[in-house]
PDB file of all heavy atoms in Angstrom:
ATOM      1  N   LEU A   1      24.138 -15.878 -20.039  1.00 95.00           N
ATOM      2  CA  LEU A   1      22.843 -16.274 -19.652  1.00 95.00           C
ATOM      3  C   LEU A   1      22.900 -17.774 -19.244  1.00 95.00           C
ATOM      4  O   LEU A   1      22.284 -18.193 -18.169  1.00 95.00           O
ATOM      5  CB  LEU A   1      21.832 -16.102 -20.703  1.00 95.00           C
ATOM      6  CG  LEU A   1      20.312 -16.431 -20.405  1.00 95.00           C
ATOM      7  CD1 LEU A   1      19.902 -15.839 -19.142  1.00 95.00           C
ATOM      8  CD2 LEU A   1      19.499 -16.066 -21.585  1.00 95.00           C
ATOM      9  N   PRO A   2      23.477 -18.696 -20.034  1.00 94.00           N
ATOM     10  CA  PRO A   2      23.630 -20.094 -19.494  1.00 94.00           C
ATOM     11  C   PRO A   2      24.199 -20.266 -18.156  1.00 94.00           C
ATOM     12  O   PRO A   2      23.682 -21.076 -17.317  1.00 94.00           O
ATOM     13  CB  PRO A   2      24.403 -20.800 -20.698  1.00 94.00           C
ATOM     14  CG  PRO A   2      24.255 -19.923 -21.847  1.00 94.00           C
ATOM     15  CD  PRO A   2      24.134 -18.538 -21.238  1.00 94.00           C
ATOM     16  N   MET A   3      25.288 -19.476 -17.901  1.00 95.00           N
ATOM     17  CA  MET A   3      25.873 -19.623 -16.498  1.00 95.00           C
ATOM     18  C   MET A   3      24.945 -19.051 -15.392  1.00 95.00           C
ATOM     19  O   MET A   3      24.989 -19.545 -14.356  1.00 95.00           O
ATOM     20  CB  MET A   3      27.208 -18.758 -16.589  1.00 95.00           C
ATOM     21  CG  MET A   3      28.245 -19.500 -17.383  1.00 95.00           C
ATOM     22  SD  MET A   3      29.848 -18.519 -17.420  1.00 95.00           S
ATOM     23  CE  MET A   3      29.502 -17.384 -18.776  1.00 95.00           C
ATOM     24  N   LEU A   4      24.231 -18.054 -15.720  1.00 95.00           N
ATOM     25  CA  LEU A   4      23.303 -17.437 -14.744  1.00 95.00           C
ATOM     26  C   LEU A   4      22.238 -18.499 -14.476  1.00 95.00           C
ATOM     27  O   LEU A   4      21.956 -18.661 -13.277  1.00 95.00           O
ATOM     28  CB  LEU A   4      22.603 -16.190 -15.347  1.00 95.00           C
ATOM     29  CG  LEU A   4      21.462 -15.553 -14.559  1.00 95.00           C
ATOM     30  CD1 LEU A   4      22.053 -14.989 -13.217  1.00 95.00           C
ATOM     31  CD2 LEU A   4      20.740 -14.372 -15.212  1.00 95.00           C
ATOM     32  N   VAL A   5      21.676 -19.143 -15.452  1.00 96.00           N
ATOM     33  CA  VAL A   5      20.639 -20.204 -15.195  1.00 96.00           C
ATOM     34  C   VAL A   5      21.271 -21.259 -14.391  1.00 96.00           C
ATOM     35  O   VAL A   5      20.588 -21.796 -13.515  1.00 96.00           O
ATOM     36  CB  VAL A   5      20.112 -20.645 -16.488  1.00 96.00           C
ATOM     37  CG1 VAL A   5      19.225 -21.888 -16.269  1.00 96.00           C
ATOM     38  CG2 VAL A   5      19.368 -19.553 -17.244  1.00 96.00           C
ATOM     39  N   ALA A   6      22.447 -21.754 -14.755  1.00 95.00           N
ATOM     40  CA  ALA A   6      23.028 -22.881 -13.997  1.00 95.00           C
ATOM     41  C   ALA A   6      23.271 -22.494 -12.468  1.00 95.00           C
ATOM     42  O   ALA A   6      23.306 -23.431 -11.756  1.00 95.00           O
ATOM     43  CB  ALA A   6      24.358 -23.331 -14.677  1.00 95.00           C
ATOM     44  N   ARG A   7      23.585 -21.204 -12.194  1.00 96.00           N
ATOM     45  CA  ARG A   7      23.879 -20.911 -10.813  1.00 96.00           C
ATOM     46  C   ARG A   7      22.630 -20.463  -9.975  1.00 96.00           C
ATOM     47  O   ARG A   7      22.388 -20.693  -8.861  1.00 96.00           O
ATOM     48  CB  ARG A   7      24.901 -19.828 -10.762  1.00 96.00           C
ATOM     49  CG  ARG A   7      26.302 -20.311 -11.040  1.00 96.00           C
ATOM     50  CD  ARG A   7      27.289 -19.146 -10.812  1.00 96.00           C
ATOM     51  NE  ARG A   7      27.280 -18.469  -9.440  1.00 96.00           N
ATOM     52  CZ  ARG A   7      28.007 -17.417  -9.256  1.00 96.00           C
ATOM     53  NH1 ARG A   7      28.914 -17.030 -10.111  1.00 96.00           N
ATOM     54  NH2 ARG A   7      28.053 -16.914  -7.973  1.00 96.00           N
ATOM     55  N   LEU A   8      21.732 -19.774 -10.739  1.00 96.00           N
ATOM     56  CA  LEU A   8      20.556 -19.127 -10.067  1.00 96.00           C
ATOM     57  C   LEU A   8      19.440 -20.317  -9.665  1.00 96.00           C
ATOM     58  O   LEU A   8      18.902 -20.170  -8.594  1.00 96.00           O
ATOM     59  CB  LEU A   8      19.995 -17.978 -10.861  1.00 96.00           C
ATOM     60  CG  LEU A   8      18.824 -17.225 -10.220  1.00 96.00           C
ATOM     61  CD1 LEU A   8      19.138 -16.724  -8.885  1.00 96.00           C
ATOM     62  CD2 LEU A   8      18.379 -16.123 -11.212  1.00 96.00           C
ATOM     63  N   ARG A   9      19.143 -21.118 -10.676  1.00 96.00           N
ATOM     64  CA  ARG A   9      18.080 -22.140 -10.500  1.00 96.00           C
ATOM     65  C   ARG A   9      18.407 -22.969  -9.184  1.00 96.00           C
ATOM     66  O   ARG A   9      17.357 -23.129  -8.372  1.00 96.00           O
ATOM     67  CB  ARG A   9      17.838 -23.070 -11.652  1.00 96.00           C
ATOM     68  CG  ARG A   9      16.670 -23.885 -11.434  1.00 96.00           C
ATOM     69  CD  ARG A   9      16.250 -24.536 -12.740  1.00 96.00           C
ATOM     70  NE  ARG A   9      15.074 -25.317 -12.489  1.00 96.00           N
ATOM     71  CZ  ARG A   9      14.406 -26.005 -13.398  1.00 96.00           C
ATOM     72  NH1 ARG A   9      14.854 -26.068 -14.707  1.00 96.00           N
ATOM     73  NH2 ARG A   9      13.220 -26.657 -13.169  1.00 96.00           N
ATOM     74  N   PRO A  10      19.560 -23.524  -8.950  1.00 96.00           N
ATOM     75  CA  PRO A  10      19.605 -24.282  -7.758  1.00 96.00           C
ATOM     76  C   PRO A  10      19.405 -23.530  -6.508  1.00 96.00           C
ATOM     77  O   PRO A  10      18.964 -24.060  -5.401  1.00 96.00           O
ATOM     78  CB  PRO A  10      21.061 -24.848  -7.862  1.00 96.00           C
ATOM     79  CG  PRO A  10      21.353 -24.848  -9.288  1.00 96.00           C
ATOM     80  CD  PRO A  10      20.692 -23.632  -9.848  1.00 96.00           C
ATOM     81  N   VAL A  11      19.834 -22.289  -6.519  1.00 96.00           N
ATOM     82  CA  VAL A  11      19.639 -21.408  -5.331  1.00 96.00           C
ATOM     83  C   VAL A  11      18.149 -21.218  -5.101  1.00 96.00           C
ATOM     84  O   VAL A  11      17.661 -21.333  -3.919  1.00 96.00           O
ATOM     85  CB  VAL A  11      20.221 -20.036  -5.563  1.00 96.00           C
ATOM     86  CG1 VAL A  11      19.956 -19.061  -4.418  1.00 96.00           C
ATOM     87  CG2 VAL A  11      21.835 -20.139  -5.562  1.00 96.00           C
ATOM     88  N   LEU A  12      17.321 -20.925  -6.073  1.00 96.00           N
ATOM     89  CA  LEU A  12      15.893 -20.670  -5.891  1.00 96.00           C
ATOM     90  C   LEU A  12      15.148 -21.940  -5.612  1.00 96.00           C
ATOM     91  O   LEU A  12      14.291 -21.931  -4.779  1.00 96.00           O
ATOM     92  CB  LEU A  12      15.441 -19.914  -7.087  1.00 96.00           C
ATOM     93  CG  LEU A  12      15.970 -18.597  -7.539  1.00 96.00           C
ATOM     94  CD1 LEU A  12      15.354 -17.988  -8.714  1.00 96.00           C
ATOM     95  CD2 LEU A  12      15.828 -17.582  -6.406  1.00 96.00           C
ATOM     96  N   ASP A  13      15.601 -22.964  -6.271  1.00 96.00           N
ATOM     97  CA  ASP A  13      14.875 -24.280  -5.875  1.00 96.00           C
ATOM     98  C   ASP A  13      15.185 -24.773  -4.556  1.00 96.00           C
ATOM     99  O   ASP A  13      14.262 -25.348  -3.875  1.00 96.00           O
ATOM    100  CB  ASP A  13      15.338 -25.393  -6.887  1.00 96.00           C
ATOM    101  CG  ASP A  13      14.744 -25.230  -8.377  1.00 96.00           C
ATOM    102  OD1 ASP A  13      13.754 -24.376  -8.528  1.00 96.00           O
ATOM    103  OD2 ASP A  13      15.305 -25.796  -9.308  1.00 96.00           O
ATOM    104  N   GLY A  14      16.289 -24.346  -4.053  1.00 95.00           N
ATOM    105  CA  GLY A  14      16.676 -24.796  -2.655  1.00 95.00           C
ATOM    106  C   GLY A  14      15.970 -23.978  -1.502  1.00 95.00           C
ATOM    107  O   GLY A  14      16.093 -24.303  -0.423  1.00 95.00           O
ATOM    108  N   LEU A  15      15.279 -22.928  -1.961  1.00 94.00           N
ATOM    109  CA  LEU A  15      14.528 -22.142  -0.863  1.00 94.00           C
ATOM    110  C   LEU A  15      13.374 -22.780  -0.339  1.00 94.00           C
ATOM    111  O   LEU A  15      12.880 -22.385   0.755  1.00 94.00           O
ATOM    112  CB  LEU A  15      14.177 -20.812  -1.509  1.00 94.00           C
ATOM    113  CG  LEU A  15      15.326 -19.779  -1.843  1.00 94.00           C
ATOM    114  CD1 LEU A  15      14.739 -18.528  -2.553  1.00 94.00           C
ATOM    115  CD2 LEU A  15      16.023 -19.388  -0.605  1.00 94.00           C
ATOM    116  N   ASP A  16      12.797 -23.714  -1.134  1.00 90.00           N
ATOM    117  CA  ASP A  16      11.608 -24.364  -0.600  1.00 90.00           C
ATOM    118  C   ASP A  16      10.412 -23.319  -0.472  1.00 90.00           C
ATOM    119  O   ASP A  16       9.576 -23.346   0.504  1.00 90.00           O
ATOM    120  CB  ASP A  16      11.749 -25.193   0.760  1.00 90.00           C
ATOM    121  CG  ASP A  16      10.670 -26.176   0.956  1.00 90.00           C
ATOM    122  OD1 ASP A  16      10.036 -26.642   0.052  1.00 90.00           O
ATOM    123  OD2 ASP A  16      10.370 -26.452   2.203  1.00 90.00           O
ATOM    124  N   GLU A  17      10.475 -22.306  -1.445  1.00 92.00           N
ATOM    125  CA  GLU A  17       9.389 -21.237  -1.352  1.00 92.00           C
ATOM    126  C   GLU A  17       8.870 -21.187  -2.903  1.00 92.00           C
ATOM    127  O   GLU A  17       9.581 -21.437  -3.734  1.00 92.00           O
ATOM    128  CB  GLU A  17      10.009 -19.984  -1.024  1.00 92.00           C
ATOM    129  CG  GLU A  17      10.634 -19.950   0.356  1.00 92.00           C
ATOM    130  CD  GLU A  17       9.707 -19.505   1.443  1.00 92.00           C
ATOM    131  OE1 GLU A  17       8.523 -19.440   1.256  1.00 92.00           O
ATOM    132  OE2 GLU A  17      10.200 -19.246   2.607  1.00 92.00           O
ATOM    133  N   ALA A  18       7.697 -20.859  -2.967  1.00 95.00           N
ATOM    134  CA  ALA A  18       7.166 -20.572  -4.253  1.00 95.00           C
ATOM    135  C   ALA A  18       7.820 -19.297  -4.834  1.00 95.00           C
ATOM    136  O   ALA A  18       7.884 -18.295  -4.123  1.00 95.00           O
ATOM    137  CB  ALA A  18       5.705 -20.298  -4.319  1.00 95.00           C
ATOM    138  N   TYR A  19       8.249 -19.336  -5.955  1.00 96.00           N
ATOM    139  CA  TYR A  19       9.086 -18.161  -6.490  1.00 96.00           C
ATOM    140  C   TYR A  19       8.787 -18.031  -8.028  1.00 96.00           C
ATOM    141  O   TYR A  19       8.248 -18.812  -8.630  1.00 96.00           O
ATOM    142  CB  TYR A  19      10.499 -18.357  -6.306  1.00 96.00           C
ATOM    143  CG  TYR A  19      11.286 -19.357  -7.186  1.00 96.00           C
ATOM    144  CD1 TYR A  19      11.708 -18.983  -8.407  1.00 96.00           C
ATOM    145  CD2 TYR A  19      11.399 -20.636  -6.689  1.00 96.00           C
ATOM    146  CE1 TYR A  19      12.413 -19.986  -9.221  1.00 96.00           C
ATOM    147  CE2 TYR A  19      12.024 -21.579  -7.520  1.00 96.00           C
ATOM    148  CZ  TYR A  19      12.432 -21.366  -8.722  1.00 96.00           C
ATOM    149  OH  TYR A  19      13.042 -22.266  -9.585  1.00 96.00           O
ATOM    150  N   GLU A  20       9.158 -16.773  -8.578  1.00 96.00           N
ATOM    151  CA  GLU A  20       9.243 -16.546  -9.934  1.00 96.00           C
ATOM    152  C   GLU A  20      10.555 -15.803 -10.334  1.00 96.00           C
ATOM    153  O   GLU A  20      10.980 -14.965  -9.526  1.00 96.00           O
ATOM    154  CB  GLU A  20       8.124 -15.773 -10.445  1.00 96.00           C
ATOM    155  CG  GLU A  20       8.001 -14.316  -9.892  1.00 96.00           C
ATOM    156  CD  GLU A  20       6.883 -13.474 -10.551  1.00 96.00           C
ATOM    157  OE1 GLU A  20       6.230 -14.006 -11.364  1.00 96.00           O
ATOM    158  OE2 GLU A  20       6.733 -12.342 -10.113  1.00 96.00           O
ATOM    159  N   LEU A  21      11.135 -16.196 -11.380  1.00 97.00           N
ATOM    160  CA  LEU A  21      12.302 -15.400 -11.917  1.00 97.00           C
ATOM    161  C   LEU A  21      11.772 -14.593 -13.058  1.00 97.00           C
ATOM    162  O   LEU A  21      11.369 -15.097 -14.045  1.00 97.00           O
ATOM    163  CB  LEU A  21      13.360 -16.424 -12.360  1.00 97.00           C
ATOM    164  CG  LEU A  21      14.538 -15.816 -13.132  1.00 97.00           C
ATOM    165  CD1 LEU A  21      15.292 -14.755 -12.283  1.00 97.00           C
ATOM    166  CD2 LEU A  21      15.541 -16.897 -13.592  1.00 97.00           C
ATOM    167  N   LEU A  22      11.803 -13.373 -12.854  1.00 97.00           N
ATOM    168  CA  LEU A  22      11.284 -12.366 -13.870  1.00 97.00           C
ATOM    169  C   LEU A  22      12.462 -11.742 -14.650  1.00 97.00           C
ATOM    170  O   LEU A  22      13.142 -10.845 -14.188  1.00 97.00           O
ATOM    171  CB  LEU A  22      10.488 -11.342 -13.199  1.00 97.00           C
ATOM    172  CG  LEU A  22       9.764 -10.164 -14.066  1.00 97.00           C
ATOM    173  CD1 LEU A  22       9.072 -10.874 -15.200  1.00 97.00           C
ATOM    174  CD2 LEU A  22       8.925  -9.265 -13.289  1.00 97.00           C
ATOM    175  N   ALA A  23      12.778 -12.294 -15.902  1.00 97.00           N
ATOM    176  CA  ALA A  23      13.768 -11.890 -16.660  1.00 97.00           C
ATOM    177  C   ALA A  23      13.232 -10.774 -17.637  1.00 97.00           C
ATOM    178  O   ALA A  23      12.356 -11.035 -18.414  1.00 97.00           O
ATOM    179  CB  ALA A  23      14.295 -13.037 -17.503  1.00 97.00           C
ATOM    180  N   VAL A  24      13.792  -9.560 -17.439  1.00 96.00           N
ATOM    181  CA  VAL A  24      13.324  -8.444 -18.221  1.00 96.00           C
ATOM    182  C   VAL A  24      14.249  -8.292 -19.288  1.00 96.00           C
ATOM    183  O   VAL A  24      15.454  -7.701 -19.239  1.00 96.00           O
ATOM    184  CB  VAL A  24      13.284  -7.087 -17.362  1.00 96.00           C
ATOM    185  CG1 VAL A  24      12.647  -5.881 -18.163  1.00 96.00           C
ATOM    186  CG2 VAL A  24      12.395  -7.284 -16.084  1.00 96.00           C
ATOM    187  N   ASP A  25      13.828  -8.495 -20.613  1.00 96.00           N
ATOM    188  CA  ASP A  25      14.688  -8.460 -21.784  1.00 96.00           C
ATOM    189  C   ASP A  25      14.504  -7.032 -22.277  1.00 96.00           C
ATOM    190  O   ASP A  25      13.473  -6.763 -22.887  1.00 96.00           O
ATOM    191  CB  ASP A  25      14.176  -9.463 -22.805  1.00 96.00           C
ATOM    192  CG  ASP A  25      15.014  -9.430 -24.151  1.00 96.00           C
ATOM    193  OD1 ASP A  25      15.997  -8.674 -24.094  1.00 96.00           O
ATOM    194  OD2 ASP A  25      14.611 -10.146 -25.007  1.00 96.00           O
TER     195      ASP A  25
END
């Protein structure tokens, strides 16, 4: 999970689009 957050957040923040990350536990 920490590695996923570290890689996924920069990708989504860089889209310049409103987004949500829906983590289904």
Side-chain angles (χ1 to χ4, degrees):
L1 187 51
M3 289 179 276
L4 174 68
V5 171
R7 284 183 59 181
L8 183 55
R9 184 170 186 178
V11 172
L12 298 181
D13 286 344
L15 288 174
D16 196 26
E17 305 266 15
Y19 72 86
E20 66 174 356
L21 171 60
L22 182 53
V24 183
D25 181 8

